[in-house]
Amino acid sequence: MINKHKKFLTAAVFCAIASTGFVLTASAEETMTHDLDEVVVEADKDALPGGYVKTKGSIGILGEKSVLDVPFSNMNITQKTIETFGGPNQPLQSILANNPAVRIQGTTLHNDFSIRGIKGNGTSSYLNGIPGLMTQFAAPTFMIGDIQFISGPNSGITGIPSTYETTAAGGIVNFVSKKATEAPLTRYRQTFSGKGSFGEYLDVSRRFGKDKEWGVRINTELLNGNTAINSNDMEAQGIFANIDHRDKKSNTNLLVGYRHLNIEGGARWFSLKAAAIGKEITKVPSAPEASKNYGFDGLAKESEGYIIALNHEQKMNADWKWFLNAGMNSNKLQRNIIGASSNFVIINDKGDVSNNLMSTQTVTKNYYAQLGINGNIKTGAVNHDVTLALDKAWHSIEGAKNMYNNGSMGSVSGNIYSGLQGNNVWYPSIETGLSSKDQYWGISLADTVKYKKAQLLLGVHKHNASVDSYNKITGRVTQTVGSDALCPTYGFVYQPDEHTSLYASHS
């Protein structure tokens, strides 16, 4: 399976290079001077000095806003920050650490983090403003141009996230894909990290048409080798294409991509045996060395998935426009051999570990659609920026019909200081069945009232949710749960000058 992916990606890389024209002209005079082609250096006009953060970013249904115009803790980091801090083996964690509201909790397996103390991961993130397109597994960043943060509650302005592992209550992370640059770009990059992890990345960008109204940007990834953790091997292959179109009345962006990720010998986390607390366990054991690997031969996690994201904005007149955001994600965790309950159990103060292994598969599918309208209304000296949006999200999960979690596929033993070993580890054939289906319907209304140096944000979001649980073997519905909520948002901003903003908000 992996060789097939590599052949596919290698062919894609060569095709991208072959379709690229390399032109270099020079004229020589008797003085041996040379006239070279024009060199175009691009810079983001919204980036602050240093180029690591931007002054503007997308704020949910409020659209593109300056950080000084919104009553939220808001941070927009650039592609320069992503490339400077994003290590190939843990790219997301390395980048998110630049935001002081974020704490990193993940490993090479998962991109877990917390915002203001509330857990999050890829399932609570957004891609081009669309929820549900990223997974809990190590997120790709090679096709990402910007990352936008909102710290704090945000349901009143971001709609319904179809999350299945975590919530976005602590804040949201919105990934923005790389788009075609004004000047042609062909860039090949190699990376080396950890103890022997090699990566190859190709970035090709072109614009077409009379007014360069069409843009195409292709990004590919080939990653293989050992991470900074001993005997932890990571393989990744991915290809993403971003196609955009622009004219005087509309902007459209389509992102399509595929990624395969395989991690061998990587452990996730430990837990303390509940029955032993106060008996054999009297304290939390001291932390072992960070470079040690607590995995072993046979421990593995492998997944692959596809992403489609569509954004369209259409002007109706000088003051009003409508917009559409839609996307889908299909991801299969096709090999997953881990400790029972996804962790290894510490059974005493000495750090001894003993528990069964389990093997499972998970298939997740997410669909999302949002349709809205935005416009400006002036009443004397007061300006209203009004947005009304409707959205719907669908989410389904298939789980293993037999998870092999009773020790029949092996066990783990050892000590967190000296290492762990697997016993009788083998990989069974697994069949999946439908586990749950979720549906969400939402409506959001927001009005930003601006008067001189002051702005007042009034927003409200209403949603309904329905969750059906299924027997994975028979396919019958076992439980149905419905819920609804009303989420108001209030905010106030006062700008005494162009460089200062005072704000307060409640969600």
Side-chain angles (χ1 to χ4, degrees):
M1 189 68 169
I2 295 176
N3 289 334
K4 181 180 177 182
H5 296 316
K6 289 185 176 179
K7 291 179 180 178
F8 168 73
L9 286 168
T10 301
V13 169
F14 283 130
C15 288
I17 295 176
S19 64
T20 304
F22 293 91
V23 180
L24 176 64
T25 61
S27 61
E29 301 177 2
E30 293 182 357
T31 58
M32 298 303 292
T33 61
H34 298 272
D35 295 327
L36 301 178
D37 286 344
E38 177 185 8
V39 177
V40 179
V41 179
E42 293 193 346
D44 194 327
K45 62 183 178 61
D46 296 323
L48 292 174
Y52 291 102
V53 294
K54 299 172 64 174
T55 59
K56 288 185 177 181
S58 178
I59 309 294
I61 64 172
L62 302 182
E64 195 84 1
K65 297 285 185 180
S66 166
V67 294
L68 295 176
D69 287 330
V70 294
F72 304 101
S73 295
N74 179 219
M75 182 179 183
N76 307 301
I77 66 175
T78 64
Q79 186 177 336
K80 181 177 180 179
T81 304
I82 295 172
E83 294 182 351
T84 301
F85 297 98
N89 300 137
Q90 285 184 293
L92 184 60
Q93 289 94 325
S94 305
I95 297 164
L96 296 185
N98 288 276
N99 188 319
V102 177
R103 292 293 179 268
I104 304 306
Q105 302 173 339
T107 67
T108 55
L109 297 175
H110 292 252
N111 44 238
D112 295 339
F113 56 88
S114 66
I115 303 179
R116 294 187 172 180
I118 300 178
K119 182 183 176 182
N121 61 27
T123 66
S124 57
S125 301
Y126 289 63
L127 178 60
N128 290 345
I130 302 170
L133 302 189
M134 305 292 271
T135 71
Q136 62 176 307
F137 310 116
T141 59
F142 65 93
M143 80 299 187
I144 299 301
D146 300 322
I147 302 180
Q148 302 161 348
F149 297 89
I150 299 177
S151 301
N154 55 79
S155 294
I157 59 170
T158 56
I160 41 176
S162 57
T163 65
Y164 65 92
E165 274 239 338
T166 59
T167 120
I172 67 167
V173 181
N174 180 39
F175 300 92
V176 181
S177 59
K178 293 179 181 177
K179 297 176 175 58
T181 54
E182 295 302 315
L185 172 69
T186 303
R187 182 187 183 194
Y188 173 75
R189 182 168 58 101
Q190 292 183 330
T191 63
F192 173 80
S193 64
K195 295 181 180 296
S197 179
F198 294 89
E200 296 180 274
Y201 299 87
L202 182 65
D203 188 354
V204 179
S205 174
R206 294 291 186 272
R207 299 209 71 88
F208 307 93
K210 181 181 178 181
D211 299 313
K212 295 185 176 181
E213 61 270 23
W214 287 95
V216 178
R217 191 157 184 174
I218 308 292
N219 283 273
T220 67
E221 173 190 45
L222 286 173
L223 180 68
N224 190 13
N226 294 321
T227 70
I229 301 174
N230 294 333
S231 301
N232 182 196
D233 185 75
M234 175 183 288
E235 296 180 3
Q237 304 91 27
I239 181 168
F240 281 80
N242 194 95
I243 304 169
D244 72 272
H245 178 267
R246 64 193 185 190
D247 56 38
K248 293 181 180 180
K249 290 189 175 181
S250 67
N251 283 289
T252 305
N253 193 83
L254 175 66
L255 174 69
V256 293
Y258 163 85
R259 194 187 193 219
H260 170 262
L261 177 67
N262 182 42
I263 300 175
E264 301 281 348
R268 191 175 182 188
W269 59 51
F270 293 90
S271 66
L272 301 178
K273 186 176 181 180
I277 295 177
K279 298 177 182 178
E280 293 181 72
I281 295 180
T282 62
K283 63 182 180 180
V284 176
S286 300
E289 294 181 19
S291 63
K292 282 184 177 293
N293 182 11
Y294 302 97
F296 42 83
D297 290 343
L299 197 67
K301 187 178 288 284
E302 183 179 7
S303 70
E304 65 175 352
Y306 302 85
I307 292 174
I308 300 176
L310 174 66
N311 308 95
H312 179 75
E313 186 178 282
Q314 184 75 43
K315 288 185 178 179
M316 295 183 285
N317 54 44
D319 296 318
W320 289 88
K321 63 184 179 183
W322 64 269
F323 58 87
L324 169 70
N325 299 304
M328 67 87 63
N329 167 280
S330 177
N331 188 271
K332 182 178 182 180
L333 175 60
Q334 56 198 30
R335 194 160 59 107
N336 186 27
I337 304 172
I338 50 178
S341 302
S342 299
N343 56 60
F344 298 144
V345 181
I346 300 173
I347 61 175
N348 55 36
D349 286 349
K350 295 183 294 183
D352 290 334
V353 172
S354 178
N355 66 308
N356 292 328
L357 297 177
M358 74 173 189
S359 180
T360 182
Q361 284 189 9
T362 306
V363 179
T364 61
K365 294 181 180 179
N366 288 286
Y367 304 89
Y368 179 82
Q370 180 186 61
L371 183 64
I373 185 171
N374 169 262
N376 288 290
I377 302 173
K378 292 184 179 180
T379 54
V382 178
N383 183 76
H384 295 262
D385 186 355
V386 181
T387 301
L388 175 66
L390 303 173
D391 57 351
K392 184 173 182 178
W394 304 260
H395 172 67
S396 68
I397 299 179
E398 292 182 20
K401 291 183 178 180
N402 188 342
M403 294 181 64
Y404 294 90
N405 59 359
N406 57 2
S408 61
M409 63 156 294
S411 62
V412 57
S413 60
N415 184 276
I416 61 173
Y417 305 109
S418 58
L420 306 180
Q421 59 270 349
N423 307 303
N424 303 316
V425 182
W426 64 286
Y427 179 64
S429 176
I430 293 177
E431 183 181 356
T432 62
L434 183 62
S435 175
S436 67
K437 281 186 177 181
D438 308 349
Q439 292 193 61
Y440 308 85
W441 303 264
I443 180 171
S444 302
L445 176 64
D447 182 11
T448 301
V449 184
K450 188 172 184 178
Y451 177 73
K452 295 183 178 180
K453 297 182 178 182
Q455 297 184 57
L456 177 65
L457 171 64
L458 301 174
V460 64
H461 169 75
K462 175 72 164 72
H463 66 253
N464 293 79
S466 175
V467 180
D468 294 324
S469 298
Y470 293 81
N471 183 305
K472 289 177 286 189
I473 298 176
T474 65
R476 294 180 179 178
V477 176
T478 58
Q479 185 181 30
T480 297
V481 177
S483 181
D484 65 275
L486 187 68
C487 307
T489 296
Y490 316 98
F492 179 77
V493 179
Y494 179 74
Q495 295 176 262
D497 58 56
E498 60 179 342
H499 303 295
T500 307
S501 176
L502 307 174
Y503 67 89
S505 63
H506 173 77
S507 295

